[in-house]
Amino acid sequence: MKTVTVYSIVHTYVDADHGEFPPPSLEGSFLSLERAQEEMERLVKEEVEENNIPLCKENCCIESGPDYWEAYEDGYAAACSSRYDIMSSELVLEGDCV
């Protein structure tokens, strides 16, 4: 058996004030970490430009790293937030796929 690492972007979002608690969404899976990072950067840029984050601009805190990005309202992290994570997993190839 051969394994391949797959990098998946997962988006989570919550807006407790408006009763929005959608399930996590898979935004794509990639065979290279660099490609997943590029796509996450594009998704974040799109979200910020389209003002999809219903946060007060002066209270908006943003944290990020090579495999995550999160925006939340300062002092209310659980009330309203948007987060992207790059998660890795091993895909097992069997039979004709090897």
Side-chain angles (χ1 to χ4, degrees), residues 5-98:
T5 303
V6 176
Y7 302 92
S8 299
I9 301 170
V10 177
H11 182 228
T12 52
Y13 170 77
V14 64
D15 184 353
D17 292 342
H18 294 102
E20 294 183 42
F21 302 94
S25 62
L26 178 62
E27 300 297 323
S29 297
F30 305 88
L31 295 175
S32 78
L33 177 58
E34 294 79 17
R35 180 64 186 101
Q37 289 168 328
E38 289 171 3
E39 179 62 11
M40 184 175 72
E41 185 178 314
R42 186 193 71 74
L43 290 166
V44 166
K45 183 178 178 184
E46 181 179 284
E47 182 161 330
V48 171
E49 285 178 356
E50 292 181 5
N51 199 27
N52 291 338
I53 310 166
L55 306 172
C56 183
K57 295 240 185 255
E58 61 268 5
N59 294 330
C60 186
C61 292
I62 294 177
E63 296 179 14
S64 64
D67 60 354
Y68 77 97
W69 179 91
E70 181 175 25
Y72 58 91
E73 191 169 358
D74 190 29
Y76 302 96
C80 186
S81 67
S82 179
R83 182 176 175 104
Y84 291 90
D85 287 286
I86 297 175
M87 300 181 175
S88 63
S89 59
E90 296 299 313
L91 178 63
V92 178
L93 303 175
E94 297 179 355
D96 293 338
C97 296
V98 179

